[in-house]
PDB file of all heavy atoms in Angstrom:
ATOM      1  N   PRO B1579     -71.742 -31.762  11.763  1.00 96.00           N
ATOM      2  CA  PRO B1579     -71.748 -31.611  13.223  1.00 96.00           C
ATOM      3  C   PRO B1579     -73.163 -31.652  13.806  1.00 96.00           C
ATOM      4  O   PRO B1579     -73.408 -32.321  14.813  1.00 96.00           O
ATOM      5  CB  PRO B1579     -71.106 -30.238  13.435  1.00 96.00           C
ATOM      6  CG  PRO B1579     -70.219 -30.053  12.252  1.00 96.00           C
ATOM      7  CD  PRO B1579     -70.947 -30.707  11.114  1.00 96.00           C
ATOM      8  N   GLN B1580     -74.092 -30.978  13.128  1.00 97.00           N
ATOM      9  CA  GLN B1580     -75.453 -30.983  13.652  1.00 97.00           C
ATOM     10  C   GLN B1580     -76.157 -32.311  13.402  1.00 97.00           C
ATOM     11  O   GLN B1580     -76.947 -32.771  14.223  1.00 97.00           O
ATOM     12  CB  GLN B1580     -76.241 -29.831  13.029  1.00 97.00           C
ATOM     13  CG  GLN B1580     -77.314 -29.338  13.973  1.00 97.00           C
ATOM     14  CD  GLN B1580     -78.006 -28.099  13.465  1.00 97.00           C
ATOM     15  OE1 GLN B1580     -77.425 -27.302  12.736  1.00 97.00           O
ATOM     16  NE2 GLN B1580     -79.248 -27.938  13.850  1.00 97.00           N
ATOM     17  N   ILE B1581     -75.848 -32.933  12.268  1.00 97.00           N
ATOM     18  CA  ILE B1581     -76.432 -34.244  11.984  1.00 97.00           C
ATOM     19  C   ILE B1581     -75.995 -35.253  13.044  1.00 97.00           C
ATOM     20  O   ILE B1581     -76.787 -36.037  13.554  1.00 97.00           O
ATOM     21  CB  ILE B1581     -76.033 -34.736  10.573  1.00 97.00           C
ATOM     22  CG1 ILE B1581     -76.665 -33.830   9.510  1.00 97.00           C
ATOM     23  CG2 ILE B1581     -76.462 -36.187  10.358  1.00 97.00           C
ATOM     24  CD1 ILE B1581     -76.239 -34.151   8.088  1.00 97.00           C
ATOM     25  N   MET B1582     -74.717 -35.175  13.413  1.00 97.00           N
ATOM     26  CA  MET B1582     -74.212 -36.104  14.432  1.00 97.00           C
ATOM     27  C   MET B1582     -74.882 -35.847  15.780  1.00 97.00           C
ATOM     28  O   MET B1582     -75.170 -36.791  16.525  1.00 97.00           O
ATOM     29  CB  MET B1582     -72.688 -35.985  14.564  1.00 97.00           C
ATOM     30  CG  MET B1582     -71.893 -36.530  13.383  1.00 97.00           C
ATOM     31  SD  MET B1582     -72.270 -38.221  12.935  1.00 97.00           S
ATOM     32  CE  MET B1582     -71.406 -39.135  14.207  1.00 97.00           C
ATOM     33  N   ALA B1583     -75.136 -34.584  16.084  1.00 96.00           N
ATOM     34  CA  ALA B1583     -75.845 -34.268  17.330  1.00 96.00           C
ATOM     35  C   ALA B1583     -77.232 -34.904  17.305  1.00 96.00           C
ATOM     36  O   ALA B1583     -77.695 -35.459  18.308  1.00 96.00           O
ATOM     37  CB  ALA B1583     -75.942 -32.760  17.506  1.00 96.00           C
ATOM     38  N   GLY B1584     -77.890 -34.839  16.144  1.00 96.00           N
ATOM     39  CA  GLY B1584     -79.196 -35.468  15.996  1.00 96.00           C
ATOM     40  C   GLY B1584     -79.116 -36.975  16.140  1.00 96.00           C
ATOM     41  O   GLY B1584     -79.932 -37.591  16.828  1.00 96.00           O
ATOM     42  N   LEU B1585     -78.099 -37.563  15.513  1.00 97.00           N
ATOM     43  CA  LEU B1585     -77.944 -39.017  15.575  1.00 97.00           C
ATOM     44  C   LEU B1585     -77.686 -39.484  17.013  1.00 97.00           C
ATOM     45  O   LEU B1585     -78.132 -40.549  17.415  1.00 97.00           O
ATOM     46  CB  LEU B1585     -76.792 -39.454  14.665  1.00 97.00           C
ATOM     47  CG  LEU B1585     -77.127 -39.540  13.177  1.00 97.00           C
ATOM     48  CD1 LEU B1585     -75.859 -39.725  12.349  1.00 97.00           C
ATOM     49  CD2 LEU B1585     -78.104 -40.684  12.904  1.00 97.00           C
ATOM     50  N   ARG B1586     -76.994 -38.651  17.757  1.00 96.00           N
ATOM     51  CA  ARG B1586     -76.706 -39.025  19.135  1.00 96.00           C
ATOM     52  C   ARG B1586     -77.977 -39.013  19.979  1.00 96.00           C
ATOM     53  O   ARG B1586     -78.231 -39.906  20.787  1.00 96.00           O
ATOM     54  CB  ARG B1586     -75.697 -38.043  19.717  1.00 96.00           C
ATOM     55  CG  ARG B1586     -75.234 -38.459  21.078  1.00 96.00           C
ATOM     56  CD  ARG B1586     -74.009 -37.705  21.449  1.00 96.00           C
ATOM     57  NE  ARG B1586     -73.494 -38.179  22.714  1.00 96.00           N
ATOM     58  CZ  ARG B1586     -72.307 -37.858  23.168  1.00 96.00           C
ATOM     59  NH1 ARG B1586     -71.530 -37.094  22.469  1.00 96.00           N
ATOM     60  NH2 ARG B1586     -71.901 -38.326  24.322  1.00 96.00           N
ATOM     61  N   ASN B1587     -78.781 -37.985  19.735  1.00 95.00           N
ATOM     62  CA  ASN B1587     -80.065 -37.887  20.405  1.00 95.00           C
ATOM     63  C   ASN B1587     -80.935 -39.089  20.026  1.00 95.00           C
ATOM     64  O   ASN B1587     -81.581 -39.707  20.882  1.00 95.00           O
ATOM     65  CB  ASN B1587     -80.724 -36.579  19.944  1.00 95.00           C
ATOM     66  CG  ASN B1587     -81.677 -36.052  20.976  1.00 95.00           C
ATOM     67  OD1 ASN B1587     -82.211 -36.804  21.773  1.00 95.00           O
ATOM     68  ND2 ASN B1587     -81.897 -34.757  20.949  1.00 95.00           N
ATOM     69  N   SER B1588     -80.933 -39.432  18.747  1.00 96.00           N
ATOM     70  CA  SER B1588     -81.706 -40.577  18.268  1.00 96.00           C
ATOM     71  C   SER B1588     -81.226 -41.873  18.923  1.00 96.00           C
ATOM     72  O   SER B1588     -82.030 -42.765  19.202  1.00 96.00           O
ATOM     73  CB  SER B1588     -81.576 -40.710  16.742  1.00 96.00           C
ATOM     74  OG  SER B1588     -82.239 -39.645  16.101  1.00 96.00           O
ATOM     75  N   LEU B1589     -79.918 -41.938  19.158  1.00 96.00           N
ATOM     76  CA  LEU B1589     -79.364 -43.135  19.791  1.00 96.00           C
ATOM     77  C   LEU B1589     -79.970 -43.348  21.177  1.00 96.00           C
ATOM     78  O   LEU B1589     -80.420 -44.450  21.515  1.00 96.00           O
ATOM     79  CB  LEU B1589     -77.834 -43.003  19.896  1.00 96.00           C
ATOM     80  CG  LEU B1589     -77.128 -44.137  20.635  1.00 96.00           C
ATOM     81  CD1 LEU B1589     -77.049 -45.375  19.766  1.00 96.00           C
ATOM     82  CD2 LEU B1589     -75.723 -43.732  21.065  1.00 96.00           C
ATOM     83  N   GLN B1590     -80.011 -42.276  21.966  1.00 95.00           N
ATOM     84  CA  GLN B1590     -80.577 -42.391  23.317  1.00 95.00           C
ATOM     85  C   GLN B1590     -82.034 -42.828  23.252  1.00 95.00           C
ATOM     86  O   GLN B1590     -82.460 -43.718  23.994  1.00 95.00           O
ATOM     87  CB  GLN B1590     -80.480 -41.049  24.061  1.00 95.00           C
ATOM     88  CG  GLN B1590     -79.147 -40.336  23.969  1.00 95.00           C
ATOM     89  CD  GLN B1590     -78.010 -41.114  24.592  1.00 95.00           C
ATOM     90  OE1 GLN B1590     -78.213 -42.195  25.134  1.00 95.00           O
ATOM     91  NE2 GLN B1590     -76.806 -40.583  24.506  1.00 95.00           N
TER      92      GLN B1590
END
Side-chain angles (χ1 to χ4, degrees):
Chain B
Q1580 209 173 331
I1581 294 175
M1582 289 306 283
L1585 280 169
R1586 187 165 185 168
N1587 207 334
S1588 291
L1589 176 76
Q1590 314 297 358

